[in-house]
Amino acid sequence: MARHKQAAPKMPSQRQLRAGELIRHALVDILQRGPLRDPALDGVILTITEVRPSPDLKSAKVYVAPMGGDDRTAQIKVLNKGASFLRGKLGHEIDMKFTPELRFHVDDRFDAASRIDELLAKPEVARDLHSDEEDGDGV
């Protein structure tokens, strides 16, 4: 009986990366010109950090880091509710065969980086890092 190895996560192609950046820049321009009119997005600055198109470029995951406001999940729900509106605007901005279906997700990489910085700043961790450097065992 042959065993199948699990394939490593497939890296995006150059085409996907290029399309993702094209979509990201166009979405940024659209949101700068006229934000969505919704109370959940009042006073919220949206940072589109990454767009990951599917291999066929018919759908795309849009990672957003909302700066401000309290409820990120509500903000993402509002963006997903207005995704068809944004898709329509996007279709006029980009020159692609298909305008991808947009699905918005919270990008929490900034939060994770802040947590790591806080951990590294703790005195006991800084002490351990400092003693490793003195011993020559540092990374």
Side-chain angles (χ1 to χ4, degrees):
M1 188 187 285
R3 290 187 176 235
H4 296 284
K5 292 183 182 178
Q6 276 189 341
K10 192 171 182 180
M11 298 298 293
S13 68
Q14 280 297 111
R15 181 174 172 239
Q16 285 174 281
L17 294 172
R18 223 176 19 252
E21 277 303 297
L22 176 72
I23 294 166
R24 188 179 72 81
H25 284 280
L27 283 174
V28 167
D29 288 343
I30 291 167
L31 290 173
Q32 279 181 343
R33 278 182 286 186
L36 296 175
R37 306 270 186 248
D38 196 288
L41 296 176
D42 283 345
V44 176
I45 298 171
L46 298 173
T47 302
I48 298 176
T49 57
E50 184 180 6
V51 176
R52 291 185 193 166
S54 64
D56 63 1
L57 304 181
K58 290 187 179 181
S59 65
K61 291 181 182 178
V62 181
Y63 290 91
V64 180
M67 308 293 181
D70 295 331
D71 192 5
R72 288 181 173 188
T73 55
Q75 295 163 355
I76 294 300
K77 282 182 184 177
V78 167
L79 287 170
N80 280 316
K81 188 171 78 173
S84 61
F85 170 77
L86 289 171
R87 182 181 184 196
K89 294 268 191 190
L90 184 64
H92 296 291
E93 296 285 323
I94 61 174
D95 186 26
M96 291 176 63
K97 187 174 184 177
F98 300 103
T99 303
E101 178 184 328
L102 304 173
R103 285 172 283 151
F104 291 90
H105 301 275
V106 174
D107 187 354
D108 58 356
R109 289 181 286 187
F110 295 113
D111 296 336
S114 294
R115 284 193 300 272
I116 291 170
D117 286 342
E118 288 173 10
L119 287 172
L120 291 174
K122 286 187 175 184
E124 56 272 10
V125 174
R127 180 190 65 229
D128 290 344
L129 290 174
H130 185 66
S131 68
D132 284 348
E133 288 173 2
E134 289 176 356
D135 294 340
D137 295 337
V139 177

